Amino acid sequence: MKHARTLSDFILTKRIFYLSTLALIVGVIGALIAVILMKMINFFTNLFFYQRFSLAFVLDYPNSLGAWVIVVPIIGGIIIGLMARFGSEKIRGHGIPEAMEAILLGKSIIAPKVAILKPISAAISIGSGGPFGAEGPIIMTGGSIGSVIGQLLHITAAERKVLLLSGAAAGMCATFNAPIASVLFVVELLAFEMRPRSVVPIALASGAAAFVHFYLLGNKTMFPSKAIPSTTIEALLIPVMFGIISAVLAYILTKCIYGTEDLFRKLPLHWMWWPALGAIAIGIGGVFVPQVLGVGYDSIHSLVQGQFDYSLAIKMLIVKTIIWIIALGSGTSGGILAPLLIIGGSLGNVLAVLFHAQNVAFWAFLGMAATFCGVTRSPFTTVIFLLELTHDIDMLLPTLITCAISAGISALILPRSILTEKIARRNIHISRDYMVDPLELCQVSEIMSKSLLTVPKDSTIAEVIENILQQNHVYKYETYPIVTMDKHLVGMLTRSELLPWITNPRVSEIEVGDQFSKNVITISQNNTGKDTVEQMIYHGVDRVVVLDKTFKPVGIVTYGDLLKAKRKYLEEENMQEKHIRLFNKDNVNKEYLKNPVKADI
């Protein structure tokens, strides 16, 4: 029997302390792995473009390779294809859809070899000129570390998910020095919930990663901004314009990437060779516009400073977009966050020059925010992310406006984002509409069937059968609690259980209490509908008896009763009402009552 739990705003246990301690450990390890990955990218960049062994940061250009630069990405693509074929196919792509799939379907279990191969493949891809950011692979790698640690411990799948997310947040934080945005990113995109059980450990892991970043890399602003918001009506119109344009751009980018992936699938070649083919486009682009190679953090810095050349911005917008789409569609390893910032910033820079804007950095900033948000559909993450990258708090309001519009229009015109389309193509539906469970909002006393008919314990089976046959209008229920004289529950009787006894010669001798007394599944009338569903699932029953404070039966809850709570939610979502009437007309939209399926949800 389950007694009423203490109803509170959140469901949290002392286990949170153990989970938070593990998250801190995962956060430190995830941050160290992120730093190592960035050093690996430096190593391979030096090796591929300058033929030297060094961990020092260096750009992919200028180099002395000339036209031979085309060969470098192809070599990297071949290596990645071999690693994916003979190592793990999970290293392909930018990593976030794979993390989503592991969380939703794989009990947050990621193979240890992915934690090893993913950062190496990403370092080779970016180091050989791939137009990607390091953040996607780092998020996947950090998540893999959290998952592996979780697999070594005796914990639940839900707790292992928290460790995976903690590692992912730590990786992103160590890359961008953005602790708050890192928490929001994994909560908005990967957690599929917002509960203290997950948010608290994730925040602690991100905080730990931030300290590691401070200690190893310093606490400098990553992309200091010179964007100055306008004080005129332009402060509203420009963010609105970018919100609309970037939502359309997000639509185009998503369709092009997966359209390119479909084209690669039609090739008469094994997918192992796709990254090398995609790398041809990278090499050609690098010959004409060397700045498109690599992560491009220098370009982001120049864009938010307003110091990006106009002609270069046009080239970056066109060439970077094309090679990024082709490379990502080929299934190579690399992230999407930094490229989105460059593409969006270049768009803003071009529009600023076309409209003769006084502050080009302001337009580039908004282009970055709107494009990033339109593609990921994570407005709060985007706002905080851009502010943490630039430390430009004056851009808060225009960034919020443009992100809200971009996310709204993008969600309206594009069913799936870049992050979820890949999973949807595997016939896996993902919903990012988060809400409180309607069953959590109702108590058992509100939905239970109160017309309860009990059977005395000392009644014979024959008497019960006779009562049912003669008073069928009274005994019309399937289930009847068996009670003692003082109304305490001792068992449960169903009509189906009585059928074998009809022809039994001892039917008038056996009392129902002796034959049907058993451990009845019960619940308190102060429990919630969600508690009831959990009891039904756990015990494999389709109804439970409701007890009052004195542990006496007062009702029964069936599946049908639980649907009452869902119906109330549907009515609130669909039934259009007018509570203040200016004219004497019906204030309820009857269409939903006639056919709720056709209602506009």
Side-chain angles (χ1 to χ4, degrees):
M1 178 170 60
K2 182 175 181 179
H3 301 290
R5 67 174 169 89
T6 302
L7 300 180
S8 58
D9 295 339
F10 302 104
I11 300 175
L12 198 63
T13 66
K14 294 180 180 179
R15 186 105 173 146
I16 186 67
F17 296 108
Y18 175 62
L19 202 57
S20 297
T21 303
L22 294 176
L24 283 170
I25 298 172
V26 170
V28 172
I29 297 175
L32 292 175
I33 295 297
V35 174
I36 292 172
L37 175 55
M38 287 186 279
K39 294 296 183 182
M40 288 172 59
I41 293 173
N42 295 343
F43 171 80
F44 283 111
T45 302
N46 278 282
L47 180 62
F48 280 118
F49 287 95
Y50 302 99
Q51 298 79 52
R52 64 193 180 200
F53 296 99
S54 174
L55 296 177
F57 172 77
V58 65
L59 296 175
D60 302 58
Y61 62 91
N63 55 67
S64 59
L65 295 176
W68 286 102
V69 75
I70 296 177
V71 179
V72 174
I74 297 175
I75 295 174
I78 292 173
I79 297 173
I80 293 168
L82 291 171
M83 292 177 65
R85 173 75 181 276
F86 300 104
S88 173
E89 191 179 349
K90 296 292 184 182
I91 68 172
R92 302 175 67 213
H94 52 89
I96 296 176
E98 288 73 20
M100 286 182 173
E101 189 172 4
I103 290 169
L104 292 173
L105 302 176
K107 294 186 176 181
S108 299
I109 295 175
I110 298 177
K113 63 181 178 180
V114 175
I116 299 173
L117 295 177
K118 186 65 179 179
I120 297 175
S121 65
I124 294 173
S125 174
I126 299 170
S128 61
F132 305 109
E135 62 290 325
I138 288 178
I139 289 170
M140 182 63 173
T141 302
S144 301
I145 296 297
S147 172
V148 171
I149 292 176
Q151 293 173 58
L152 295 172
L153 303 172
H154 194 70
I155 60 177
T156 66
E159 292 171 333
R160 189 163 50 248
K161 179 182 77 170
V162 173
L163 295 184
L164 186 157
L165 297 174
S166 298
M172 181 174 176
C173 177
T175 306
F176 288 112
N177 190 20
I180 301 176
S182 299
V183 175
L184 288 174
F185 183 84
V186 297
V187 169
E188 274 196 291
L189 294 176
L190 298 174
F192 300 99
E193 65 178 28
M194 187 173 287
R195 305 168 61 181
R197 184 198 64 184
S198 56
V199 173
V200 171
I202 293 170
L204 291 175
S206 184
F211 275 103
V212 173
H213 180 98
F214 298 163
Y215 182 76
L216 296 178
L217 304 175
N219 191 26
K220 296 185 297 183
T221 303
M222 194 161 185
F223 304 120
S225 167
K226 290 186 178 180
I228 301 175
S230 173
T231 57
T232 64
I233 191 66
E234 293 179 1
L236 177 62
L237 296 180
I238 297 174
V240 171
M241 178 188 70
F242 272 107
I244 297 172
I245 294 175
S246 295
V248 176
L249 178 61
Y251 179 92
I252 296 172
L253 291 175
T254 303
K255 293 296 183 181
C256 288
I257 285 174
Y258 285 101
T260 304
E261 185 176 295
D262 291 337
L263 291 177
F264 274 101
R265 292 182 185 278
K266 295 178 181 179
L267 294 176
L269 291 173
H270 192 278
W271 55 258
M272 178 183 73
W273 302 108
W274 297 355
L277 290 177
I280 296 175
I282 298 175
I284 295 174
V287 170
F288 293 100
V289 188
Q291 292 85 347
V292 301
L293 299 175
V295 291
Y297 290 162
D298 58 316
S299 298
I300 298 175
H301 179 272
S302 298
L303 284 166
V304 295
Q305 286 281 310
Q307 300 172 351
F308 210 63
D309 182 72
Y310 172 66
S311 61
L312 179 58
I314 295 177
K315 295 176 184 178
M316 287 288 284
L317 178 61
I318 297 173
V319 178
K320 183 84 172 183
T321 302
I322 292 174
I323 68 172
W324 177 66
I325 289 172
I326 295 175
L328 202 60
S330 71
T332 193
S333 181
I336 66 170
L337 304 190
L340 288 175
L341 295 179
I342 295 173
I343 293 171
S346 298
L347 173 66
N349 188 287
V350 171
L351 291 177
V353 175
L354 290 176
F355 284 93
H356 306 287
Q358 294 182 349
N359 190 268
V360 178
F362 173 65
W363 288 60
F365 191 112
L366 290 180
M368 288 183 183
T371 303
F372 185 96
C373 185
V375 172
T376 64
R377 271 93 79 90
S378 53
F380 299 116
T381 294
T382 306
V383 172
I384 301 302
F385 185 46
L386 266 294
L387 294 185
E388 285 189 304
L389 287 180
T390 62
H391 287 193
D392 191 349
I393 191 66
D394 292 335
M395 289 296 294
L396 175 60
L397 182 58
T399 305
L400 178 63
I401 294 172
T402 196
C403 287
I405 295 173
S406 178
I409 297 177
S410 176
L412 186 64
I413 65 176
L414 192 63
R416 301 288 184 183
S417 70
I418 286 179
L419 307 179
T420 58
E421 175 67 23
K422 194 171 191 177
I423 304 176
R425 288 176 170 226
R426 299 171 187 166
N427 294 322
I428 302 170
H429 170 65
I430 291 182
S431 174
R432 289 176 57 194
D433 272 335
Y434 304 147
M435 67 175 196
V436 177
D437 188 344
L439 293 176
E440 186 72 58
L441 299 177
C442 65
Q443 290 187 318
V444 172
S445 58
E446 302 174 31
I447 60 175
M448 68 180 184
S449 299
K450 300 178 181 179
S451 301
L452 185 67
L453 190 62
T454 59
V455 174
K457 175 185 176 182
D458 53 4
S459 299
T460 66
I461 296 177
E463 291 174 340
V464 175
I465 293 175
E466 184 179 357
N467 287 337
I468 291 177
L469 294 176
Q470 293 184 357
Q471 304 180 57
N472 193 49
H473 63 287
V474 176
Y475 289 86
K476 57 185 177 180
Y477 304 105
E478 171 65 23
T479 306
Y480 306 99
I482 303 173
V483 297
T484 59
M485 292 185 62
D486 56 356
K487 300 300 182 181
H488 281 97
L489 185 68
V490 295
M492 178 78 78
L493 175 67
T494 65
R495 283 183 174 232
S496 57
E497 290 175 320
L498 288 175
L499 290 177
W501 288 92
I502 294 178
T503 58
N504 194 307
R506 300 177 58 237
V507 71
S508 60
E509 303 173 8
I510 301 177
E511 295 182 354
V512 291
D514 296 332
Q515 182 62 35
F516 297 103
S517 293
K518 55 186 177 183
N519 184 23
V520 185
I521 308 304
T522 63
I523 200 163
S524 168
Q525 61 181 345
N526 294 325
N527 277 103
T528 66
K530 181 181 177 182
D531 296 328
T532 308
V533 171
E534 292 174 355
Q535 284 289 82
M536 289 180 173
I537 294 173
Y538 182 77
H539 295 283
V541 297
D542 59 1
R543 61 197 66 218
V544 295
V545 178
V546 183
L547 304 181
D548 62 11
K549 294 181 180 180
T550 62
F551 304 107
K552 295 179 181 179
V554 292
I556 289 180
V557 177
T558 65
Y559 283 143
D561 296 321
L562 292 170
L563 293 178
K564 296 176 183 177
K566 187 65 175 177
R567 176 176 175 81
K568 179 181 178 182
Y569 162 75
L570 289 175
E571 288 177 348
E572 292 179 351
E573 285 288 314
N574 295 279
M575 187 183 297
Q576 299 176 6
E577 301 175 279
K578 182 166 66 175
H579 291 279
I580 299 178
R581 291 179 292 172
L582 300 178
F583 305 98
N584 187 23
K585 292 184 179 180
D586 193 353
N587 68 330
V588 178
N589 180 4
K590 299 293 185 179
E591 183 62 27
Y592 168 72
L593 299 177
K594 294 177 182 178
N595 190 350
V597 177
K598 293 183 178 180
D600 183 19
I601 298 180

